[in-house]
Amino acid sequence: TFIMAIFFWCVNKRGGKFLLLVYAFGRLLNQFLKNTLCVYRPFVFDSNLNPVESAMKSASSYSFPSGHTNVATSIYGGLAYFYGRRFPILVFICTVIIVATAFSRNFLGVHTLQDVLAAIISTALVIVFVDKLMAWIDGDSKKESCLTVGGIVLGLIMTAYFMLKSYPVDYINGKIIVDPAAAIKDALGNIGSFAGVVIGLELERRFVNFSTDVAFSKRIFRAFIGIAIILALTYFAVPFIKSLDIGMATKLVRWFMIYFSVTFLVPLIFSK
């Protein structure tokens, strides 16, 4: 989150917007594939596979495609795609990080080779899609608004899909393999991120419209203010949201708040 946010606030606004949109669309696609195919983790099928216990905390949902690899490809693949021509060494560094992330998920025993390859390929397609989308918009305010409205509609459709579709319910030793409620909560969290990015970018364009073409000292100030706000939300607002007992909507509200703050609230504050 901080990598994308700092690029957006301080380095290159268009580049940061590109990363945020790649992340938002990439997470939505990844979750759609996960909750549609409902593929169990490899250790479910192979009793000889012993995953690392610490990695099991993030392996509560379905396996295909890999979420961690999707995030790494979104951020570092997006950086390589956007800046690769200017900084070829960046392509190498980002590729190493993506491959290392993918390998680590296999090594920890929580994903198959197919899981990580599918995540890399599907996210690469999202990167190309977002690049074409931004080229089509090209600063046109009406097209920007179309993106926002289309994003909201897509988010609503995906919410209905995740909530209403059927999920397999299988057990091992009397314990459910993947709780459908957990899969839905993860999906709603990614819809929250997606909505936060799409709506926040639209409001920023309309009411703030900041520029990254400012003095270095102002960029440092923006980073300081932004990181402080996001940390405050994470350590104070998120626990409060959890305490409200709003069920499946908890993750949706949490991640909407974080990415809405990155794209709109923080720029509004540092611009004032």
Side-chain angles (χ1 to χ4, degrees):
T1 300
F2 286 130
I3 292 174
M4 296 183 289
I6 289 174
F7 265 87
F8 182 62
W9 300 330
C10 311
V11 180
N12 183 309
K13 185 179 180 181
R14 181 176 174 82
K17 180 179 179 180
F18 175 76
L19 293 178
L20 287 163
L21 286 173
V22 167
Y23 176 84
F25 278 103
R27 294 301 293 145
L28 197 61
L29 175 60
N30 185 267
Q31 197 68 58
F32 173 77
L33 293 173
K34 273 181 179 286
N35 285 29
T36 298
L37 301 174
C38 299
V39 177
Y40 292 139
R41 300 279 172 172
F43 50 79
V44 173
F45 302 104
D46 187 354
S47 59
N48 295 318
L49 188 62
N50 296 310
V52 176
E53 187 174 349
S54 59
M56 292 291 289
K57 294 179 181 179
S58 62
S60 59
S61 187
Y62 300 111
S63 184
F64 182 91
S66 165
H68 285 75
T69 307
N70 164 247
V71 171
T73 308
S74 295
I75 298 171
Y76 299 106
L79 278 173
Y81 188 89
F82 195 85
Y83 287 103
R85 291 183 180 180
R86 293 175 58 190
F87 307 104
I89 186 63
L90 186 63
V91 176
F92 173 76
I93 295 171
C94 290
T95 301
V96 169
I97 294 173
I98 293 169
V99 171
T101 302
F103 174 76
S104 72
R105 304 310 290 168
N106 294 152
F107 180 78
L108 294 172
V110 292
H111 281 293
T112 64
L113 179 61
Q114 295 95 313
D115 294 343
V116 298
L117 288 177
I120 292 172
I121 293 169
S122 61
T123 310
L125 293 174
V126 171
I127 290 172
V128 175
F129 166 75
V130 172
D131 180 50
K132 301 299 183 184
L133 180 66
M134 290 184 65
W136 173 73
I137 292 172
D138 194 27
D140 187 314
S141 59
K142 290 183 179 180
K143 291 180 179 179
E144 290 273 11
S145 297
C146 286
L147 170 62
T148 305
V149 173
I152 293 172
V153 171
L154 177 61
L156 292 173
I157 292 172
M158 287 293 98
T159 300
Y161 174 73
F162 291 134
M163 295 287 290
L164 298 176
K165 77 174 293 290
S166 61
Y167 295 87
V169 180
D170 298 302
Y171 295 83
I172 291 182
N173 299 323
K175 184 178 180 181
I176 192 167
I177 299 174
V178 173
D179 184 355
I184 295 171
K185 287 178 183 178
D186 286 346
L188 294 180
N190 286 317
I191 288 174
S193 301
F194 179 81
V197 169
V198 170
I199 296 173
L201 287 174
E202 176 69 12
L203 293 180
E204 188 284 323
R205 180 181 67 83
R206 288 176 177 269
F207 301 110
V208 182
N209 198 26
F210 74 94
S211 171
T212 49
D213 187 18
V214 295
F216 181 74
S217 59
K218 284 191 176 183
R219 299 184 188 205
I220 296 298
F221 176 74
R222 289 177 178 185
F224 176 79
I225 291 293
I227 290 173
I229 291 172
I230 300 304
L231 288 176
L233 290 173
T234 301
Y235 289 105
F236 297 102
V238 170
F240 173 73
I241 292 171
K242 290 180 178 179
S243 71
L244 295 177
D245 193 24
I246 53 177
M248 289 189 176
T250 301
K251 280 192 172 182
L252 187 151
V253 174
R254 170 190 177 182
W255 289 109
F256 175 85
M257 176 187 67
I258 294 296
Y259 280 93
F260 182 77
S261 299
V262 167
T263 52
F264 176 65
L265 181 61
V266 171
L268 178 66
I269 290 173
F270 70 56
S271 293
K272 297 298 181 183

